[in-house]
Amino acid sequence: MEVLTEIARVCEQAARRGGAALLDWSQRFTIREKGPADLVTEADLAAEEIVRQTIADSFPDHQFVGEETTPSAAVEGVLREATECVWIVDPLDGTTNYAHRVPHYACSVAVVRAGEVLAGTVYHPTAEECYVAVRQGGAFLNGEPLAVSRTQSLDAALVAASFPPRIDRSGTEVQKLLGVIERAQAIRRTGSAALNMCYVASGRLDAYWATGTSAWDIAAGLLLVREAGGTVTDLSGGPFSLSQPQPLASGTAELNRELAAILGS
Ligand code: IPD
Ligand code: CA
Ligand code: CA
């Protein structure tokens, strides 16, 4: 238990340092395309390096998976084969917002062992909001306990969605979006998967789904939603897996069922 306390402390410290690096770079970065409509800046790289270093200083034997240094194709294997802790890091979630000077982005750090998230922090530097969760220890925003919303039906729900960088009008993402738009109170696309999960954890959003995220977008948020009393499944309402992260997160099981009936097909 003491070890978990130390892991959680370093997790928060790493995310806060990563977030500080993002603020530090925010007036002087340049933008490059990793792929079509998929951006990266010096801030992504600088934040990942300071997060990696912070973790290595305390836990040199733990494995590290970071968006900017670990090939996406390697993540599933690392998660499957690791016997000790794996740190999963998105140094800057919301790079497109960051590049356009929209202040909605975050640094996300999580620690996973045997498929379970032990600790997670999402730090939103421009809002000075730090979301922290520890397995079986609760979820907190700047030290205050978090609780999900109690909204049970879609017609009363504010729901967010994320999509991969490029989507096709005849593709499945658009069909799912149309299915939800028809019935939800309102829909948002915020540009940060990690913050969407935090907003479900805090009850600001009633639900969130994504068709094309990676483990580093979601790992910390997964623990935050669950520790705040919410539900995270795959899009059909089945078990969620970090190896194939298509999350459906909601405050209540009732809302999860209603959304899964639309999104799971
Ligand atoms: C992206 C954001 C976005 C989600 C994408 C992610 P990035 O993260 O979380 O909301 O739709 O799947 O890749 O690329 O800015 O780290
Ligand atoms: Ca991301
Ligand atoms: Ca990123």
Side-chain angles (χ1 to χ4, degrees):
M1 196 58 192
E2 261 166 40
V3 176
L4 182 54
T5 306
E6 179 59 5
I7 286 174
R9 186 190 69 75
V10 174
C11 188
E12 178 173 344
Q13 184 182 49
R16 285 182 178 274
R17 285 186 179 167
L22 301 179
L23 284 183
D24 182 46
W25 274 94
S26 62
Q27 301 304 318
R28 57 191 163 102
F29 63 86
T30 53
I31 304 163
R32 186 165 64 72
E33 266 196 328
K34 284 198 273 194
D38 190 5
L39 309 181
V40 65
T41 71
E42 294 94 335
D44 300 65
L45 307 179
E48 180 152 324
E49 178 51 24
I50 196 156
V51 168
R52 194 196 59 72
Q53 192 60 58
T54 301
I55 295 163
D57 285 348
S58 292
F59 299 105
D61 299 335
H62 288 182
Q63 275 187 276
F64 180 85
V65 167
E67 179 176 10
E68 306 309 334
T69 49
T70 308
S72 302
V75 177
E76 198 180 337
V78 173
L79 287 173
R80 195 178 48 243
E81 280 152 32
T83 49
E84 252 307 320
C85 288
V86 181
W87 292 70
I88 302 184
V89 175
D90 189 340
L92 168 47
D93 185 62
T95 299
T96 305
N97 284 347
Y98 187 86
H100 288 264
R101 299 191 164 76
V102 174
H104 195 77
Y105 55 82
C107 181
S108 176
V109 181
V111 190
V112 176
R113 191 171 58 201
E116 299 284 352
V117 187
L118 299 181
T121 299
V122 176
Y123 182 52
H124 182 183
T126 58
E128 293 184 13
E129 290 190 335
C130 192
Y131 299 86
V132 170
V134 180
R135 193 169 150 73
Q136 296 181 344
F140 302 86
L141 166 53
N142 292 347
E144 295 297 320
L146 290 175
V148 293
S149 89
R150 302 318 312 159
T151 301
Q152 295 188 358
S153 79
L154 192 49
D155 60 9
L158 180 60
V159 183
S162 318
F163 303 102
R166 281 263 167 256
I167 53 172
D168 187 316
R169 69 163 59 211
S170 57
T172 162
E173 283 88 3
V174 174
Q175 297 315 311
K176 292 180 196 305
L177 176 65
L178 292 174
V180 179
I181 271 181
E182 281 180 343
R183 301 186 214 174
Q185 185 182 71
I187 295 276
R188 298 289 180 265
R189 186 181 177 186
T190 72
S192 169
L195 286 176
N196 285 338
M197 293 293 280
C198 292
Y199 277 32
V200 173
S202 65
R204 293 172 179 169
L205 287 171
D206 299 299
Y208 164 61
W209 90 91
T211 51
T213 54
S214 302
W216 43 64
D217 300 311
I218 297 298
L222 172 66
L223 186 64
L224 275 149
V225 173
R226 287 185 172 157
E227 288 293 326
T231 303
V232 184
T233 65
D234 70 9
L235 295 183
S236 322
F240 173 81
S241 161
L242 273 178
S243 300
Q244 291 188 338
Q246 295 208 321
L248 167 54
S250 59
T252 63
E254 291 82 358
L255 188 54
N256 177 282
R257 278 194 288 277
E258 195 174 348
L259 278 161
I262 301 167
L263 297 170
S265 50

